[in-house]
Amino acid sequence: MDADPALLLVQDLRGYGGAGFPTAVKLAAVAGSPAAERCVVANGEEGEPASVKDRYLLRHRPHLVLDGLLHAVRAVRANRAYVYVSDAASATSVRTALG
């Protein structure tokens, strides 16, 4: 099942960042773009002070991040996807999960 921006808007899914921006708004903006090239980025940089959620997910549950990235790619019909990691342990975990 792919992420439907309209369904996400109804469910009020929001990012974990400080602003809690609605995910559906981001996905709909990209999906509605006339651009031929579309990219989705999973940003694993820990930007919030004293937070370790990104690092934890990337190190211990990388498949959750990768599955979410895949759903976002399909929702916006992206041609590329990237996972940004800021530490070696997270990078190793993501590489291992990718096989």
Side-chain angles (χ1 to χ4, degrees), residues 5 24-38 72 74-78:
V25 173
K26 291 181 184 183
L27 292 177
V30 176
S33 168
E37 294 289 322
R38 294 185 182 142
R74 289 178 177 160
V76 302
R77 297 174 310 280

Side-chain angles (χ1 to χ4, degrees), residues 31-51:
S33 168
E37 294 289 322
R38 294 185 182 142
C39 173
V40 176
V41 177
N43 183 0
E45 174 59 36
E46 214 65 69
E48 299 81 22
S51 177

Side-chain angles (χ1 to χ4, degrees), residues 9-30:
L9 189 56
V10 170
Q11 294 175 342
D12 199 30
L13 179 65
R14 294 175 176 267
Y16 275 141
F21 199 81
T23 302
V25 173
K26 291 181 184 183
L27 292 177
V30 176

